Amino acid sequence: ALPDNNSEKWRIKADLYMTMIRSLYKGNKYVDEMEAAKDKALKLGPDNPNALLTAAKRPLFAEKEHGGDVPAALALIDKALVINPNQERAHAFRGVAYEKLGHLDDAIVEWKKALELNPNSPLALDAYASFLALRGHMDEAVSMQKRALELDPLSASFRYDMGWIYWGAGRF
């Protein structure tokens, strides 16, 4: 077990609370615990790139009324990349942020960088596949999404994305 003064312990705990919020339909039930764990992870490890990316998740992926703030998320992601420029998850998150901000060429660059660093990044494959599907590149999107699911077969969000990609491709 990790000691209480370890940033990674609290980063992992915050990630688990986020998963519980999303996957168990608990909504706001665990928000306070998640925020407290995230804050403790950042206090103990302000230069921990994993803690910075955990802190970026809610503002990046949540709707505005639930704490979404893409520019704030992007600032955290950028700080993580200054610390570790080769972290593929940070590049994948940055791609999502750029897409949400309408900087589509920059999003593509970031997803390609994530896949260059780790060709088996399920997060980058899923995000890029969804982007391609929305732009009508269905065969490439299906192929990428299948790879993401092979790498992370238990991901409910990847399965959901595969369903709408198949639907969009007329393969249902």
Side-chain angles (χ1 to χ4, degrees):
L2 296 172
D4 280 348
N5 65 349
N6 184 292
S7 175
E8 274 300 286
K9 174 181 182 167
W10 296 99
R11 192 262 323 158
I12 292 166
K13 196 170 190 171
D15 274 344
L16 289 172
Y17 280 123
M18 279 186 233
T19 301
M20 289 167 50
I21 289 168
R22 289 185 60 218
S23 61
L24 297 177
Y25 304 101
K26 298 295 183 187
N28 292 325
K29 182 175 180 178
Y30 295 109
V31 169
D32 292 341
E33 292 90 338
M34 181 268 299
E35 288 291 333
K38 175 212 36 135
D39 291 345
K40 188 155 187 175
L42 288 173
K43 182 179 178 184
L44 291 169
D47 292 327
N48 177 344
N50 292 321
L52 290 163
L53 293 179
T54 290
K57 284 182 180 180
R58 184 175 186 203
L60 180 60
F61 294 109
E63 298 297 325
K64 191 171 188 161
E65 62 269 15
H66 298 291
D69 182 350
V70 177
L74 189 55
L76 292 163
I77 295 164
D78 287 346
K79 186 173 179 184
L81 282 167
V82 167
I83 297 164
N84 182 359
N86 294 318
Q87 189 169 52
E88 58 62 31
R89 192 165 55 110
H91 286 284
F93 280 7
R94 190 191 256 175
V96 172
Y98 283 151
E99 180 186 23
K100 288 183 172 198
L101 293 171
H103 305 293
L104 304 183
D105 290 338
D106 293 330
I108 292 168
V109 167
E110 292 301 323
W111 290 320
K112 286 183 176 180
K113 177 67 176 177
L115 292 169
E116 176 186 308
L117 291 166
N118 179 6
N120 294 316
S121 168
L123 177 63
L125 288 164
D126 174 69
Y128 196 21
S130 296
F131 175 85
L132 291 170
L134 288 171
R135 281 141 190 90
H137 304 281
M138 302 313 286
D139 290 338
E140 191 176 1
V142 167
S143 176
M144 280 189 156
Q145 196 63 36
K146 280 184 179 178
R147 280 186 51 215
L149 271 170
E150 287 169 3
L151 295 164
D152 190 354
L154 300 178
S155 172
S157 64
F158 292 0
R159 290 187 174 283
Y160 173 84
D161 291 346
M162 185 81 256
W164 74 258
I165 290 170
Y166 270 140
W167 179 82
R171 299 182 191 176
F172 50 95

